[in-house]
Every structure is written in structure tokens, then in C-alpha cells.
Amino acid sequence: MGYSNYSYILCIFGVLYVTSIVCASFLPQDRFFIDCGGSKLLELEDGRVFEPDSGNPHVNVPTSSVVVVSEPQMSASNDLNLYNSARVFGEASAYAIATKGTGRHWLRLHFNPVENPHYDLRSAVFSVVANGITLLHRFSPSNSQYFTPLVKEYVVDLSGKSSKNLALKMYPLNGSVAFINGIEVVSVPNKQFPSTAVPIPLGTSVEIPSDIAFETVYRVNMGGPLITPKNDSLWRTWEPDGPFLLNAASARNVTKNPSSVKYPDGVSAEIAPNWVYATAQEMAEANVTNQKFNISWSFEAQNGFSYLIRMHFCDIVSIALETLVFNVYINEQYALDTFDISSRTMELLSAAYFVDFVVSLPRNSDRILVQVGPSNLEGFPSNAILNGLEIMKMSSDIGSLDGNLSADDVDSKSPSKKKWMVLAISSALVGFGVLVLIFAGLFYRRRIDPKKPRRQFSFPTHVGISDSKVSIGSSASTSHSHGLGRILSFSEVREATKNFDESLLLGVGGFGKVYRGVLENGTVVAVKRGNPRSQQGLTEFRTEIQMLSKLRHRHLVSLIGYCEELNEMILVYEFMAGGPLRKHLYGSDLPPLTWKQRLEICIGAAKGLHYLHTGAADIIIHRDVKTTNILLDENLTAKVADFGLSKLGPTLDQTHVSTAVKGSFGYLDPEYYRRQQLTEKSDVYSFGVVLMEVLCARPAINPTLPREQVNIAEWAMNWQKKGRLEKIIDPHLIGSISVESLRKFGDTAEKCLAEYGVERPTMGDVLWNLEYALQLQEASIQTVSAENSANYIPDIPEWLSQTEADHGGHIARDWISDQESDATSSAVFSQLMDPKGR
């Protein structure tokens, strides 16, 4: 569910628009909407009127700046015209905005790199400081959204020394420039932000000082569509929750007339518009007597900071009071236990309520997990809801919202004009000297061994910060990348995919879309194009390139090249005509695989993983082994794919690698999850789950099944330990699989799925056992006759009638598709994720 119902919801909201808007009683004392570099008033569709910064009596414009305007200057919509101009700064500069009121103010900064022949704003790198708070450090707007407009929202305090004055300072870095398109400064209502909040883990309330600054990281409308500033009295944007849901099948959206939402004492319309409270995600119906699972949302966050998490609730699903009781969790810790909304809203249904929490993200974590699920109390329906969510980063002790530099540190690191000239000249001299040394070294090496191949694994030099996606520039033709495979120009990729024609789409996943393409030399390829809104990004992109560039094996998918031009992240692989193994098992109309074919595919995948663990220069742990990451060619030869989560394994003096838990739900090694200690045996566990999928032809996790059947590893091992594994095999295998081969296969999977890594076999042992299972199957085929047909499994599985409907379920048509699932699930498989491939 989710997006499929949004059109319907939007229609309802459109009809109810006139009656559903809650008139705001709050009139902000300060409302400054500034068009930086603009020349005339711009009235946006939501009613905001942006005034040019030049000539504005309330705005002191930096003198050391220039105005850049794109061509054409005007668009059909004023909402876009705001981004046609920008003010550009070549050195440290400051806006001064005289406000009428003090206290907290919304501060929204608008960025869009305007096209201009004199300034390359796409490669701009700069820092921004507001009233002593570091908002952005080494920031490049081109890292986001393919150069679409970017709005950064903050809350800053204008009390104290900087009373009635906002000082917004721009610091270009390393000879770059800084720029900005628009600025908003709006008074924040009193009591909009709490003075105390509930800590996670639960404890004594923590104080939130008034001078704390906030950055809006996420503002989400659960179960509903995008809410634009037009429908929010404080001009906020609320995005749909679909991209953050870990398992869309675990939730269903519900909608009510926005005008029916009540605001009791203590909750104003400025807290959240009634459109937020009028929609929600509630637990999906699993058609079981006692459904026990959570709805889970995962949000990427910067570690080392504390976050204010505001959760919005409104009981729009109950027909009577005190019937909706549920639990709320943040990062797997109790936030609300046996929570009854009606007890907090003066015994009203459809009444708005919110609660604030503070959670600190440790250095080894980069995710915030939010969950709602049924209470353990008996006598209540198994249901839980969430209407809206806000996650706001809180400034650190040194007054920073980005990195660990204070405003003074940013200022001291910003070179003056004279310093920059000296620095530029010195850098040029040093660079020239380094080049001379490099050429001398290369000449010396060539004289010693002119035929010796030279190879290095490093990325091409980039402009800006180390994590910037901005490459040096366009490439007119294919080049090589120092051992990393071919660098393809964006024009080559676009031509190969016919400008990313949707008819060539092979699949969609968390990283982005995958297209079939044909390069200029006739090579058929699979092109994976990164989605800028994906929770996966540059780290996974680089890991994939670095790993696959070092590896060549018959059972590993080959990386042909990549493109990092124009802020794109594109990977180009060999084309695998058969697609992912999963679609050959269930969820498609493809003919079922024979038992021999399944064994050969498992053997091929095991060979690929065995090579990763033992055949490369370093141990490589795949960390995301699953049936969507095992691809088949036209001959059904299996190849392991998707190395975005891969890690180098332990060295000789180590037993494990300590790292944050990542992987996919249903395939995750429980020992790795508990201890955050990664070994190659974690891949062995995941491969054991794959073996069970191959045997049973059903998803690793299926929340619609009875509790004991939800997780395939638990369910299959129960039958394996009873010696009755034949009861749950794919019905298509009935009568064609030998008892001996099945027994060897089941024993192998059981060892892979052992609780502790030391009890699991190596991939080499797994490979040997699978090859033996294949030999047993082939020997049985050669000797079978009417007299010994009892060697084959004749039974019809008892569970067939319960799960036939699941084989066509909600599995997406993936092809090297991407979905990073930060493995933050508990041992209870109630925190579920749709098992798409990366």
C-alpha cells in the first residue's frame, strides 16, 4: 500500500480543501522572504511574496558580491523563478537582516546552482554560519537532487547578543565561491519547541536550552501525500513516508476528513496542520488470530548529534475510546509502553496529540529506527498507528549543526584575499614540484622494468570535499580510471539507454533504476542509475567500484565501467539475461526450475562467495547475500552481484571486523546483529537462508503467514530437525527430488543456519556438500526405475493451501535493484522489510 492510494487521498483532500484548512491564529511578527539577486517581487503559489534583497530596508546586502541570473530569466511559475537568480560571494561575506522580534525564528535557505558562463556554481564549496551557529560546513548544493532546488531549514535563536538582528555569513572554501538564491526568516510561535523532552533510553526528562539551534532533517506525513507550504500555516513541507517504510506490506494508510480533526488544549494548528492528523499508517491485516509485528521506518542520520523526535498521533481508526493501545519504539528502545491516545486527549477521538523525545546517535550508528506495534496487554486489538513524524538535529555543545567546527573555527579557517593569493601561489609551486617528482619516479620505474604492468586502485581526483559527487568535468569519450574500469561519459550512457527509455527498464530498487543498454561497440549492459533521494549514496557507489574492480571470477558479475559526471552515480555491468534468482523461484510466470538446475545455481553462487572469502588478495565479506543479488545469465549460470555493502574481512591477527550492522531482513546473521562483529560466517548464514528459499520457493520473510511461518529460517529448521523437510518443499519438485539429495541439502542448510559462527561451515565446505548433493541426485536419476521410485519425494506439502497465494505476492520485478536495509531488527521477526535486492 502507500503510494498506490495517494491519488485517491489527494482527490479527497481536493474536495475537502475549503473546509479542511484550519485558520491559523498565529501571525508571525517577522516574515522576511528575500529573493537574493532578484529584481522584482515574486509571489509564490502558496502566497509568500519574495522581495529583492537589493534596496530592502531590512536587509544589509554584502558589498563584495555579484548577482548571477540564468537565461531565460523567467519561467512559467514564480516558484521556479526564485531560483533563476543568485547572489555569489568570492570571499567571506555576511547578510544582516534586522528583525522586529527576538526568540526563535525559522531560517530557510534556498540553493540552486544557476547556469552562468563566469561562475561554476555546481562545484561551489562553502560554509554558512548564522548568529554563531555553524549551519553548513564544506557544503556543496550540487551533491543533492541532480541540481534541483534545495531548501535547508533551521531554527535559530535571536535573543541575547544578536537581539533583533540575524547575521548570515557565507565562507567560500579553497578558492571556490559561495552563493544563495533565497532566504526566509519567520518568527516561531511560543511553545512550538519544548523546554524538556523524554530521553531515549527512557529516563529523567532532559532540558533543551533556549539557545539550542535545530535543523529539520525529516518532516514526514505518514499514510498521506506530500503537503506543501500552501497547506501549512508556517510554510512547512511534509513528505510522504513511503521511502522510509521498511516493509510496505506491514502497513496500510487510512484517511479521514481533515475538518473532523480536533485540537485540544495544548495543541495548536501550528504544531502540525490537520492534513497530517487526518492520515495515518496502521498495521496491515495479516489474517491471523494474533498478529505480532511492528511497522518500521528507517531514517539516515549523522552520528555524533542529538535529535529531537516529535511524533504526531490522532486516533482516526477507532470507533470507541480506549480500544487502541500500542507500543512505540525508537532505536529498539521503548519510547511509549501500552500507549492509549484517548487517555492523553481528554477522552476525544480524532484529537491531535504529539510527544517529544531526544535521542543521541552514537559514533557507530547512522540510522534512526522508529516503530509502532501492538501492546503485550491482552484484550486489545492488535493495532498501532502513526500520523506524522519530525526529526530535528540539535546543535552540539560547540554550536554546530554540521561537523565539529564552531563558528570561530570556520571563520579562522576562511582565508582572506591576501592569504588566499599567498596560498594559491604556494600551492602552485608545491604542485609543480610534486609533478616533477612523480614524472621522475615514473621515468625511473619504466627504465627498470618497462613491461611490468602497473595498477592502482584509487578514485580520480575530484573537486571539493572528499565525499563530493562532483567530478572534474565532462568527458568527451570513454577513458580509463586507473584500474577501476572504464569511465563512461554521461552522453555515452544516455545514448546506450536511449536517454533512459522506460521501455528498457529492468527493475527499480533502493539505489535507483536499472536499464538495459547497448554500448557503442555492441556490448549489451545493465545500467544502474543512482536515485538522489535514495538512502544509499556515494559510499555504496564507491565501495561497489572498488570491490568489483579488484575481482574477476566466472561467478561474480563483472563491472564494465561507471559514470560520475554531472553529479550522476551510474554503474554499468555485464548484462545478465536471466535476471535475479528470486524471480525464477516465485513472483513471476517463468517456468519452475528443476532440482538439478537449482543445485547448479547454488553451487555457482557458492563458488563466487568462496572466491570472495579465500581467492582474493584480502578476505571480502559480501554482507548482503540474498536471492535478488544472485543473477543468472541466459544459460542459468549464477553470478553474485551487488557489492555496495561489502567489507574487507579480518586480517591474520583479527577474528572479526567491528562494524555497524547492515544487511537485509530475513538474511541477517543473528550473531552479527547482536555483537556487531562481522566475519565471513555471516555470509554463510545468509547463504543458508538462500538455500531454504531455493528449496521452498517462498520469501525469506512473509508477514502475512502465521507467526511460526513468517521467517523461513526458523520455519524450515523446525521441519529439518523433525526429519520432515519434504513437507515444505516447492510443489513443483514433488516426484523429482531424491531422498538422499534432499537430506544432504537439508543438512548443509542446517549447518549454515547455526546460531553461532564457529558452528557454521566455511563456504568451501558448503560448496563441497552441494556438489555431493548434486552427485546424489544425478546418481539417483541414472538408477531410478519403477521398482525404486520410492527414492523420490511423493508427498503434497501440508502448507500448500496456506501459501499458494503468496508466491505472486508483492515481490517487485528487480534486476540488480538496490535496497540497503540497515539491519536494525530484533530477534523477533516483527520488524520486517520487503526483500528487494540492492
Side-chain angles (χ1 to χ4, degrees):
M1 289 199 161
Y3 286 119
S4 62
N5 292 333
Y6 282 169
S7 297
Y8 171 71
I9 296 172
L10 283 168
C11 290
I12 295 176
F13 279 3
V15 173
L16 298 172
Y17 175 76
V18 176
T19 59
S20 66
I21 296 290
V22 174
C23 296
S25 58
F26 172 70
L27 294 176
Q29 187 176 6
D30 290 314
R31 289 194 300 176
F32 296 101
F33 305 112
I34 303 166
D35 181 5
C36 301
S39 58
K40 58 188 295 186
L41 293 178
L42 287 178
E43 182 174 358
L44 274 55
E45 293 181 0
D46 53 42
R48 288 176 291 176
V49 178
F50 279 76
E51 303 178 42
D53 55 353
S54 180
N56 192 316
H58 300 285
V59 181
N60 183 13
V61 180
T63 56
S64 58
S65 63
V66 295
V67 173
V68 172
V69 180
S70 67
E71 296 291 345
Q73 294 189 20
M74 297 303 292
S75 301
S77 168
N78 278 345
D79 291 38
L80 296 178
N81 287 330
L82 175 64
Y83 300 101
N84 280 341
S85 64
R87 192 166 289 276
V88 180
F89 312 93
E91 59 185 59
S93 307
Y95 268 103
I97 302 172
T99 59
K100 301 175 184 177
T102 60
R104 288 190 170 118
H105 283 63
W106 298 109
L107 174 61
R108 299 186 184 103
L109 309 179
H110 297 256
F111 300 102
N112 187 49
V114 175
E115 295 283 353
N116 186 272
H118 304 293
Y119 297 94
D120 182 13
L121 300 188
R122 293 183 175 183
S123 60
V125 181
F126 54 93
S127 297
V128 181
V129 173
N131 286 45
I133 301 294
T134 302
L135 305 182
L136 296 166
H137 179 57
R138 299 188 66 84
F139 170 70
S140 180
S142 59
N143 287 345
S144 304
Q145 308 278 324
Y146 296 140
F147 309 127
T148 57
L150 173 67
V151 181
K152 302 288 287 185
E153 183 183 88
Y154 304 92
V155 176
V156 295
D157 181 58
L158 301 187
S159 303
K161 295 184 296 182
S162 52
S163 174
K164 295 193 176 182
N165 193 30
L166 172 68
L168 186 67
K169 299 181 180 180
M170 316 287 290
Y171 295 95
L173 298 181
N174 301 333
S176 182
V177 295
F179 73 91
I180 190 166
N181 305 80
I183 304 171
E184 297 180 54
V185 181
V186 180
S187 301
V188 171
N190 292 331
K191 299 182 180 179
Q192 183 76 14
F193 289 90
S195 58
T196 62
V198 180
I200 301 295
L202 295 175
T204 306
S205 295
V206 296
E207 183 179 352
I208 301 177
S210 60
D211 59 350
I212 285 285
F214 299 93
E215 176 188 355
T216 303
V217 186
Y218 300 98
R219 185 177 287 121
V220 187
N221 180 27
M222 269 61 183
L226 173 72
I227 297 178
T228 65
K230 184 177 182 179
N231 299 312
D232 187 299
S233 60
L234 295 177
W235 299 286
R236 295 167 295 189
T237 297
W238 301 75
E239 59 183 314
D241 68 321
F244 312 107
L245 262 175
L246 289 187
N247 180 32
S250 67
R252 65 182 178 190
N253 49 53
V254 290
T255 307
K256 195 164 186 176
N257 188 329
S259 63
S260 66
V261 173
K262 310 174 186 68
Y263 286 90
D265 291 343
V267 184
S268 69
E270 280 72 40
I271 293 295
N274 54 2
W275 290 40
V276 171
Y277 291 115
T279 63
Q281 292 284 17
E282 71 168 342
M283 291 175 61
E285 181 58 58
N287 297 318
V288 294
T289 305
N290 186 24
Q291 57 181 28
K292 291 291 183 181
F293 58 87
N294 298 334
I295 311 174
S296 303
W297 297 266
S298 179
F299 302 89
E300 186 175 351
Q302 187 176 359
N303 57 32
F305 285 90
S306 294
Y307 291 82
L308 176 68
I309 299 179
R310 173 167 290 178
M311 307 181 89
H312 299 272
F313 299 98
C314 184
D315 188 353
I316 60 174
V317 299
S318 299
I319 58 176
L321 295 169
E322 300 179 352
T323 57
L324 180 62
V325 179
F326 57 95
N327 295 338
V328 178
Y329 311 90
I330 298 176
N331 285 351
E332 300 186 305
Q333 304 281 341
Y334 272 106
L336 296 170
D337 186 13
T338 60
F339 174 55
D340 176 11
I341 302 175
S342 61
S343 67
R344 312 288 181 94
T345 58
M346 298 182 295
E347 301 297 318
L348 292 173
L349 290 177
S350 300
Y353 180 77
F354 70 97
V355 59
D356 294 317
F357 303 94
V358 169
V359 59
S360 296
L361 214 56
R363 293 290 178 185
N364 63 348
S365 175
D366 61 357
R367 297 279 170 178
I368 294 176
L369 183 70
V370 175
Q371 298 168 292
V372 295
S375 167
N376 295 323
L377 292 178
E378 296 183 0
F380 292 96
S382 292
N383 200 6
I385 68 168
L386 183 60
N387 302 73
L389 181 72
E390 295 176 84
I391 299 179
M392 305 195 75
K393 186 195 296 184
M394 302 167 64
S395 57
S396 63
D397 294 338
I398 61 172
S400 176
L401 282 164
D402 190 5
N404 56 1
L405 285 183
S406 67
D408 292 337
D409 293 331
V410 172
D411 185 60
S412 65
K413 292 179 181 295
S414 175
S416 65
K417 210 168 187 179
K418 290 182 179 179
K419 286 181 179 178
W420 171 245
M421 290 294 292
V422 173
L423 182 62
I425 295 172
S426 302
S427 299
L429 292 173
V430 171
F432 179 75
V434 170
L435 285 174
V436 170
L437 291 174
I438 290 173
F439 280 117
L442 290 174
F443 178 74
Y444 177 74
R445 287 188 62 186
R446 187 174 292 276
R447 289 192 61 187
I448 293 177
D449 189 0
K451 295 184 178 180
K452 184 176 181 180
R454 291 173 296 281
R455 192 179 182 197
Q456 65 185 75
F457 296 100
S458 60
F459 272 81
T461 306
H462 287 247
V463 174
I465 60 175
S466 59
D467 285 336
S468 173
K469 297 179 192 172
V470 185
S471 59
I472 289 176
S474 30
S475 172
S477 62
T478 301
S479 60
H480 293 276
S481 54
H482 307 288
L484 292 176
R486 294 168 60 186
I487 300 177
L488 297 163
S489 69
F490 184 65
S491 61
E492 286 179 279
V493 177
R494 188 166 52 192
E495 184 177 349
T497 59
K498 298 181 180 179
N499 198 22
F500 302 100
D501 190 338
E502 291 297 308
S503 66
L504 299 176
L505 188 66
L506 295 171
V508 182
F511 184 82
K513 295 182 177 180
V514 184
Y515 300 85
R516 186 181 186 274
V518 181
L519 297 180
E520 190 176 4
N521 61 8
T523 303
V524 182
V525 293
V527 178
K528 186 196 294 186
R529 186 185 191 190
N531 180 351
R533 294 186 61 84
S534 169
Q535 296 181 23
Q536 302 170 37
L538 190 60
T539 300
E540 291 78 11
F541 177 70
R542 289 184 168 180
T543 299
E544 183 98 0
I545 295 172
Q546 289 172 327
M547 289 295 180
L548 280 178
S549 297
K550 300 176 183 180
L551 304 171
R552 284 293 181 270
H553 191 272
R554 182 171 183 264
H555 293 287
L556 299 181
V557 169
S558 297
L559 178 71
I560 291 175
Y562 67 95
C563 172
E564 220 180 357
E565 180 186 327
L566 297 178
N567 205 40
E568 295 274 356
M569 293 189 298
I570 298 174
L571 296 165
V572 181
Y573 306 88
E574 64 173 312
F575 179 69
M576 300 292 288
L581 170 59
R582 174 169 293 158
K583 78 174 186 178
H584 290 265
L585 299 174
Y586 50 84
S588 75
D589 297 328
L590 293 175
L593 298 169
T594 67
W595 181 238
K596 181 181 177 182
Q597 287 174 324
R598 300 186 199 207
L599 286 173
E600 289 173 339
I601 289 169
C602 291
I603 288 169
K607 287 179 178 179
L609 291 172
H610 181 50
Y611 171 75
L612 292 180
H613 294 176
T614 62
D618 300 298
I619 295 174
I620 295 175
I621 304 172
H622 188 280
R623 206 159 56 145
D624 201 17
V625 178
K626 53 188 177 184
T627 49
T628 47
N629 288 341
I630 297 173
L631 305 179
L632 307 179
D633 66 11
E634 63 278 6
N635 298 317
L636 297 183
T637 300
K639 299 191 179 188
V640 179
D642 203 329
F643 293 79
L645 299 184
S646 298
K647 293 279 288 186
L648 291 179
T651 57
L652 291 175
D653 58 344
Q654 295 176 316
T655 59
H656 62 271
V657 176
S658 295
T659 180
V661 177
K662 292 186 178 181
S664 295
F665 288 91
Y667 300 87
L668 186 67
D669 170 14
E671 186 177 44
Y672 168 40
Y673 169 75
R674 289 193 304 268
R675 299 184 177 183
Q676 297 188 3
Q677 295 178 352
L678 181 68
T679 72
E680 57 268 38
K681 295 297 184 70
S682 297
D683 281 351
V684 174
Y685 182 91
S686 302
F687 190 70
V689 179
V690 168
L691 295 180
M692 288 296 97
E693 269 190 90
V694 168
L695 180 67
C696 302
R698 54 146 285 187
I701 295 290
N702 189 339
T704 64
L705 294 175
R707 174 67 185 88
E708 68 276 5
Q709 298 181 23
V710 168
N711 180 268
I712 195 173
E714 293 180 350
W715 180 56
M717 285 306 97
N718 285 337
W719 286 101
Q720 167 67 15
K721 290 171 182 176
K722 295 176 184 177
R724 302 295 305 278
L725 195 58
E726 70 276 4
K727 291 291 184 181
I728 61 170
I729 65 173
D730 182 357
H732 294 105
L733 298 176
I734 299 298
S736 64
I737 178 172
S738 75
V739 175
E740 293 81 5
S741 180
L742 177 64
R743 183 177 298 118
K744 173 55 69 175
F745 187 88
D747 290 343
T748 304
E750 182 178 13
K751 291 172 182 175
C752 291
L753 295 171
E755 183 74 11
Y756 301 102
V758 294
E759 299 173 355
R760 299 173 201 149
T762 65
M763 281 308 306
D765 293 332
V766 174
L767 175 59
W768 188 94
N769 280 279
L770 290 175
E771 289 176 330
Y772 184 45
L774 178 60
Q775 291 176 10
L776 291 172
Q777 178 68 13
E778 290 177 333
S780 180
I781 292 174
Q782 293 172 1
T783 59
V784 68
S785 64
E787 290 76 23
N788 60 13
S789 60
N791 288 333
Y792 288 84
I793 308 299
D795 302 54
I796 300 296
E798 297 171 352
W799 56 274
L800 178 58
S801 60
Q802 298 176 348
T803 60
E804 275 181 331
D806 301 316
H807 289 179
H810 55 270
I811 305 303
R813 185 169 59 93
D814 280 325
W815 201 95
I816 321 184
S817 56
D818 293 65
Q819 181 69 48
E820 176 185 330
S821 318
D822 273 16
T824 44
S825 65
S826 67
V828 179
F829 287 89
S830 57
Q831 304 158 17
L832 307 172
M833 180 164 188
D834 203 17
K836 294 181 180 179
R838 287 190 70 255

